[in-house]
């Protein structure tokens, strides 16, 4: 009888993970306990995914706003710093900005509009059209911006980020001037010392600023790349991927994730003889169609994974071959023909019409999205995701 169930994604509950815990042991113990209780059966090519949050927590990868301030002083040694293209987020950016404010006397904060990089809107394109504003050219100070757009608050949270960020800077004793522009070079009218806070466009932004005459430019991935006074750090991503932990400290993106994934894989192999894959995942890289928010404030979906998760899927579009290659077949004859077609498919289908409409994304991005949606970001208590059947196809 043909198996009915295909891919299954399960959230696994673990104990509350704290600093210093052996995260690899907790993950593998949880998986083994789930098998013992009959909730799953470990098989080859299963995938174990662990959320980056508990990995960083177990590592104690934290830093304070004072640590950020010290690194800013070390890097710039300037009274005024331009901070451009931050995302609008209390969780993701407020403490970073607080640390910047502690390290300088004045912050010139340049916000992109009508939204930040990941789609947090405080005004709409319709409002731009109504005011005949060209976001590719027009620049505004705070006063003019508020005259044009009377209530620029975040659609979902209701937060006025202009006011929120300004007050946050001023509470640390620094001056704050806010401007609105989408051209990175606009900040150079105010200061030649710049922190560009965009995530996925950061290299381009830094290149534009450097070529335009900026004296010192640092991206978020270049701040806290090493420990400051015993703080946490991330040599690859700096402050990118960080989250608010307390009112004065951040949890940074985890380190050494490849090593953790390999250790989990090896332990399961030693215990069961099965060859599983493992990965650490963060944001899932999907876009909300209502709020327009692109769920990828982390620099990557997966900062570490086993080698079997490299690459992209090589899949054919079943409905395409059913409607074209085998349009004249029905029932068991159609099923047999399609199974044979799948078994004989090429390993690389790039550019082939039979793969048109399949998802051309990295395996880790697809699995990370599945894991992120399964675990959620609230109180489910399932930081480990166990995925089965992902690499199956219609013939299995």
């Amino acid at each position: 009888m043909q198996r009915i169930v295909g891919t299954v994604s399960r959230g696994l509950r673990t104990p509350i993970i704290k600093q210093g815990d052996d995260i690899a042991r907790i993950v593998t113990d949880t998986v083994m306990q789930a098998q013992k209780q009959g909730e799953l059966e470990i098989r080859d090519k299963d995938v174990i995914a662990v959320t980056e949050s508990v990995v960083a927590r177990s590592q104690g990868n934290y830093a304070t706003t004072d640590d950020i301030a010290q690194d800013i002083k070390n890097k710039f040694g300037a009274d005024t710093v331009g901070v451009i293209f931050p995302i609008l987020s209390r969780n993701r950016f407020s403490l970073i900005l607080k640390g910047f404010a502690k390290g300088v006397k004045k912050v010139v904060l340049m916000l992109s509009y009508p939204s930040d990089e990941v789609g947090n809107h405080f005004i709409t394109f319709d409002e731009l059209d109504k005011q005949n504003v060209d976001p590719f050219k027009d620049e505004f100070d705070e006063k003019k911006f508020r005259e044009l757009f009377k209530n620029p608050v975040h659609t979902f949270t209701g937060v006025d980020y202009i006011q929120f960020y300004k007050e946050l800077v001023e509470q640390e004793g620094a001056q704050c001037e806010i401007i609105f522009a989408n051209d990175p070079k606009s900040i150079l009218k105010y200061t030649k010392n710049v922190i560009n806070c965009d995530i996925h466009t950061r290299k381009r932004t830094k290149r534009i600023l450097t070529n335009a005459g900026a004296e010192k430019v640092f991206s978020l991935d270049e701040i806290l790349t090493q420990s400051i006074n015993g703080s946490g750090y991330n040599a690859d991503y700096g402050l990118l991927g960080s989250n608010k932990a307390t009112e004065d400290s951040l949890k940074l993106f985890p380190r050494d994730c490849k090593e953790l994934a390999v250790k989990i894989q090896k332990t399961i192999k030693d215990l069961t003889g099965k060859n599983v894959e493992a990965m650490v995942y963060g944001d899932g890289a999907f876009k909300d169609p209502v709020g327009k928010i692109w769920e990828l404030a982390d620099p990557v979906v997966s900062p570490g994974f086993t080698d079997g998760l490299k690459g992209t899927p090589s899949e054919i579009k079943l409905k395409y071959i059913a409607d074209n290659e085998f349009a004249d077949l029905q029932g068991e004859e159609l099923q047999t023909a399609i199974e044979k077609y799948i078994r004989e498919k090429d390993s690389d289908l790039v550019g082939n019409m039979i793969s048109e409409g399949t998802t051309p994304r990295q395996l880790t991005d697809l699995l990370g999205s599945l894991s992120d949606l399964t675990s959620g970001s609230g109180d489910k208590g399932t930081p480990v995701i166990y995925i089965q059947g992902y690499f199956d196809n219609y013939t299995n």
Side-chain angles (χ1 to χ4, degrees), residues 118-121 154 156 286-295:
V118 297
N120 288 296
H121 284 74
H154 189 279
F156 282 172
F286 47 84
K287 185 172 182 176
D288 176 68
V290 177
K292 313 301 182 186
I293 298 171
W294 183 37
E295 187 68 21

Side-chain angles (χ1 to χ4, degrees), residues 51-274:
T51 181
E52 59 83 19
S53 179
V54 296
V55 177
R57 192 184 307 154
S58 70
Q59 294 173 344
N61 203 20
Y62 294 88
T64 67
T65 55
D66 287 335
D67 298 326
I68 296 172
Q70 186 59 59
D71 204 14
I72 293 302
K73 291 176 183 177
N74 295 345
K75 285 179 164 60
F76 286 97
D79 291 338
T80 301
V81 170
V83 176
I84 73 170
F85 300 157
I87 63 173
L88 306 177
S89 172
R90 291 165 291 181
N91 175 44
R92 290 286 192 168
F93 192 73
S94 64
L95 289 189
I96 293 176
L97 182 59
K98 183 177 180 179
F100 294 166
K102 284 185 174 184
V104 297
K105 293 182 179 179
K106 181 176 181 179
V107 171
V108 181
L109 182 63
M110 190 173 93
L111 302 176
S112 58
Y113 71 92
S115 73
D116 68 9
E117 177 186 3
V118 297
N120 288 296
H121 284 74
F122 49 19
I123 57 174
T124 66
F125 278 102
D126 288 337
E127 290 175 291
L128 295 184
D129 295 341
K130 183 178 179 180
Q131 297 296 342
N132 197 30
V133 169
D134 183 347
F136 297 102
K137 298 188 300 183
D138 294 338
E139 303 173 12
F140 305 99
D141 60 15
E142 182 182 356
K143 180 181 178 181
K144 181 63 176 177
F145 194 82
R146 287 193 180 277
E147 288 175 358
L148 290 170
F149 309 107
K150 303 301 182 184
N151 191 35
V153 299
H154 189 279
T155 306
F156 282 172
T157 66
V159 174
D160 184 333
Y161 276 99
I162 304 169
Q163 179 181 346
F164 175 64
Y165 280 170
K166 187 172 186 177
E167 290 178 351
L168 191 152
V169 171
E170 292 175 342
Q171 286 168 4
E172 299 307 318
Q175 295 177 276
C176 185
E177 181 175 0
I178 297 182
I179 60 174
F180 300 83
N182 292 316
D183 183 348
K185 298 188 294 294
S186 298
I187 193 65
L188 300 180
K189 301 171 186 176
Y190 301 84
T191 177
K192 303 294 185 183
N193 297 295
V194 185
I195 305 170
N196 65 293
C197 303
D198 45 338
I199 305 163
H200 307 289
T201 55
R202 62 188 183 273
K203 292 182 180 179
R204 176 177 182 269
T205 298
K206 184 174 182 178
R207 171 174 54 79
I208 290 171
L209 288 167
T210 301
N211 292 342
E215 293 176 2
K216 291 183 179 179
V217 184
F218 289 93
S219 304
L220 289 184
D221 62 342
E222 297 173 305
I223 301 170
L224 281 187
T225 55
Q226 57 186 6
S227 180
I228 300 291
N229 301 321
S231 73
Y233 67 96
N234 192 303
D236 297 315
Y237 300 114
L239 287 174
L240 287 180
S242 62
N243 287 270
K244 182 178 180 180
T246 70
E247 291 304 315
D248 203 51
S249 66
L250 302 95
K251 175 186 60 60
L252 304 180
F253 216 42
R255 307 188 301 264
D256 307 321
C257 294
K258 168 78 171 185
E259 291 82 354
L260 172 62
V262 170
K263 186 175 182 180
I264 292 170
Q265 181 185 54
K266 182 179 185 304
T267 302
I268 295 296
K269 173 71 172 179
D270 291 343
L271 291 172
T272 68
K274 301 299 182 181

Side-chain angles (χ1 to χ4, degrees), residues 45 47-51 237 253 257-258 261 277-286 295-296 298-314 359-373 385 387 390-391:
K45 295 301 289 183
V47 179
I48 301 172
V50 188
T51 181
Y237 300 114
F253 216 42
C257 294
K258 168 78 171 185
E277 305 294 343
M279 64 181 286
V280 175
Y281 71 94
D283 281 345
F286 47 84
E295 187 68 21
L296 187 54
D298 289 330
V300 291
V301 172
S302 177
F305 49 89
T306 49
D307 289 344
L309 298 181
K310 292 179 179 177
T312 59
S314 182
T359 308
R361 292 172 60 188
Q362 297 293 317
L363 287 168
T364 49
D365 293 344
L366 292 163
L367 288 162
S369 295
L370 176 59
S371 299
D372 192 20
L373 288 167
I385 307 301
I387 301 169
Y390 193 81
F391 295 98

Side-chain angles (χ1 to χ4, degrees), residues 3 5-13 34 39-41 43 45-50 279 281 366-376 380 382-392:
R3 175 158 58 89
V5 177
T7 300
V8 176
S9 177
R10 296 179 176 89
L12 302 188
R13 294 174 177 169
E39 295 179 322
L40 60 83
E41 179 184 350
R43 301 196 295 252
K45 295 301 289 183
D46 289 351
V47 179
I48 301 172
V50 188
M279 64 181 286
Y281 71 94
L366 292 163
L367 288 162
S369 295
L370 176 59
S371 299
D372 192 20
L373 288 167
T374 302
S375 63
K380 287 186 173 64
T382 55
V384 176
I385 307 301
Y386 199 87
I387 301 169
Q388 293 187 301
Y390 193 81
F391 295 98
D392 289 354

